[in-house]
Amino acid sequence: MKSIILKTASNYLLPLLLLFSLFILLRGHYLPGGGFVGGLIASIAFVLHAFANGLQTTKHLLRIHPGFLMPIGLSVAFLAGISPMFLSGLPFMTGIWFPEPISVVGMIGSALFFDIGVYLVVIGISLTIIFTITESK
C-alpha cells in the first residue's frame, strides 16, 4: 500500500505490538494468553509492517528467515518438556519452578520456556506462510 498514514503508523505500531506480544507471553503462565497468542500478535506486527513498507524492508528488519524460528522454537519447547525428567526425575512435561520469584516476570519455570518455544514456532510458521503467499503473487 502507498499510504503515508499506514506507513507512519506501522513504524510506531511495530515496537508497541512486539512489546505487547511479550507482555502476553509473560502473563500466559498465570492468566489466559501465552506463547500462541503472543506469537500471533508479533506476527501481526510484522505483517502490518510488510503491508505498509514492503516485504523486502520487513525481511531486512527481521534479518533472519522466519522459517528458521520454527526449529529453534521446537527445540526450546522440547527441552522445556524433558527438563523435569533430567533435573528432578519427574515425568515428561511436568512443571518445575525456580524457588525465588523474579520481580517483573514472577515465578520462572519450565512452562515459561515451553511458552517461549511455542511463541517462536507460531511466529515462524505464520510469517513463513504469509511471506510465501505474498511472494507468489
Side-chain angles (χ1 to χ4, degrees):
M1 290 189 170
K2 301 288 182 195
S3 169
I4 188 77
I5 296 171
L6 180 62
K7 193 171 189 173
T8 304
S10 70
N11 289 332
Y12 289 107
L13 285 175
L14 179 66
L16 289 175
L17 285 173
L18 290 177
L19 188 65
F20 183 64
S21 75
L22 289 176
F23 169 74
I24 294 294
L25 169 69
L26 292 178
R27 77 182 273 268
H29 59 283
Y30 292 121
L31 298 169
F36 188 81
V37 177
L40 285 178
I41 292 170
S43 298
I44 289 169
F46 285 113
V47 168
L48 179 65
H49 189 270
F51 283 161
N53 298 303
L55 186 60
Q56 295 305 319
T57 306
T58 305
K59 281 185 169 181
H60 181 72
L61 182 69
L62 280 171
R63 298 182 190 265
I64 60 170
H65 190 277
F68 188 66
L69 294 174
M70 290 185 276
I72 294 173
L74 284 174
S75 300
V76 170
F78 181 70
L79 290 175
I82 65 168
S83 64
M85 297 170 61
F86 294 107
L87 297 176
S88 304
L90 296 170
F92 181 68
M93 294 291 288
T94 302
I96 55 173
W97 301 90
F98 292 111
E100 297 295 323
I102 306 293
S103 61
V104 175
V105 178
M107 296 295 288
I108 292 183
S110 59
L112 176 63
F113 293 103
F114 183 79
D115 274 346
I116 291 172
V118 171
Y119 180 84
L120 293 175
V121 169
V122 168
I123 291 173
I125 289 174
S126 59
L127 288 183
T128 299
I129 290 171
I130 291 171
F131 286 177
T132 303
I133 290 172
T134 304
E135 285 176 341
S136 67
K137 287 186 176 182

